[in-house]
Amino acid sequence: MDSLQDGAARVEALTGLSRFRREFYECLTLRADALFELTDAVLCAGGPVVSLPELSLEAVYRRGHGAMYDALAQGHIAVSRLRRALAGLELPRGADRQLSIALDVTPWPRPDAECSPERLHCHRPCRCDGVRQTIPGWPYQVAVALGGGRSSWTGPLDAVRIGPEDDPTEVTAAQIRELRARLEQAGQWRPGDPPVLFVMDSGYDLVRLTWLLARGAGPAAGTRPRGPGDVRAGR
């Protein structure tokens, strides 16, 4: 009986994966085949991706490196559709089925790309000497669904790049509102469910973020402290 149950769970998981892969392919509106195989190549690479041409050597990528560069230069992704697809996946939850969404900024280091536009000083120990706490790069604010217990697995939901002219707190407030709306539209949250909690570290301007969320989402928006250095913004 246990083996049958495990087999059914595996089939269900593979069915969900296949469904998402089809939806992801539909999100690729230009150079779809090359971009899709390039995504598989990134996932199947044996270690960190440090060279684009090396990705074309992965078995799942059946094209040359020229097609890869063409896909990156001319390809297009329907980002809004992809965000809706991610919001509709089965997400990790706590023991009480509550959704907890963590937000944090992750830099894409670009220390040697002096001609790359809109680089910022990102908080990260520099690989150059191990002392400096910032490095030139592109900061991305990532939102993921957290599970209960001690698992390190999360459910990626959104990523927004913060530019030189952006107000990080306003970007955060807009990201929370839009993500919460997508989760409701996908049926992840319904009236009567536990509130969706947004978890952030102490680097965020909590007072101003609270005000922006309350102004944009009405009296149901609010925040409450979770512990030293952590804040949960809940609906």
Side-chain angles (χ1 to χ4, degrees):
M1 179 62 71
D2 290 341
S3 62
L4 291 177
Q5 290 176 343
D6 292 343
R10 180 177 176 83
V11 169
E12 184 179 356
L14 290 175
T15 300
L17 175 61
S18 177
R19 187 184 305 113
F20 175 74
R21 285 173 62 84
R22 288 196 300 270
E23 179 62 22
F24 174 65
Y25 182 82
E26 294 299 326
C27 294
L28 307 176
T29 55
L30 287 175
R31 305 297 194 272
D33 292 334
L35 286 175
F36 189 81
E37 292 187 7
L38 182 59
T39 303
D40 275 345
V42 172
L43 295 174
C44 294
V49 177
V50 297
S51 170
L52 287 175
E54 289 182 4
L55 285 178
S56 64
L57 301 178
E58 294 291 333
V60 294
Y61 192 79
R62 299 171 294 178
R63 292 162 173 77
H65 67 275
M68 177 195 64
Y69 282 114
D70 180 62
L72 293 174
Q74 304 296 329
H76 184 266
I77 300 176
V79 177
S80 296
R81 179 170 180 172
L82 177 58
R83 284 171 169 154
R84 291 194 298 270
L86 291 172
L89 294 175
E90 182 177 353
L91 301 177
R93 297 173 183 260
D96 58 355
R97 301 295 298 166
Q98 186 175 43
L99 276 174
S100 296
I101 312 297
L103 283 88
D104 201 3
V105 174
T106 298
W108 182 358
R110 303 288 289 167
D112 303 320
E114 297 182 359
C115 295
S116 293
E118 299 184 340
R119 291 189 306 167
L120 294 173
H121 284 285
C122 303
H123 291 282
R124 176 171 176 171
C126 182
R127 68 179 184 203
C128 305
D129 53 24
V131 175
R132 285 175 286 176
Q133 296 300 307
T134 64
I135 187 171
W138 293 322
Y140 284 84
Q141 184 158 267
V142 180
V144 299
L146 304 175
R150 298 182 178 181
S151 172
S152 61
W153 289 94
T154 61
L157 289 170
D158 193 24
V160 175
R161 193 174 120 188
I162 301 176
E165 304 300 325
D166 292 333
D167 183 314
T169 307
E170 291 184 357
V171 170
T172 302
Q175 188 177 20
I176 288 176
R177 285 195 295 265
E178 293 169 6
L179 177 54
R180 188 173 55 194
R182 289 196 298 273
L183 291 172
E184 291 185 27
Q185 292 170 3
Q188 300 282 11
W189 184 90
R190 295 182 176 88
D193 289 345
V196 180
L197 300 180
F198 289 85
V199 186
M200 292 152 279
D201 62 27
S202 59
Y204 287 81
D205 186 346
L206 174 61
V207 175
R208 185 158 178 260
L209 180 59
T210 302
W211 182 80
L212 288 172
L213 288 172
R215 186 185 64 171
T223 58
R224 59 186 178 88
R226 185 188 182 196
D230 289 330
V231 169
R232 287 188 175 189
R235 187 177 191 276

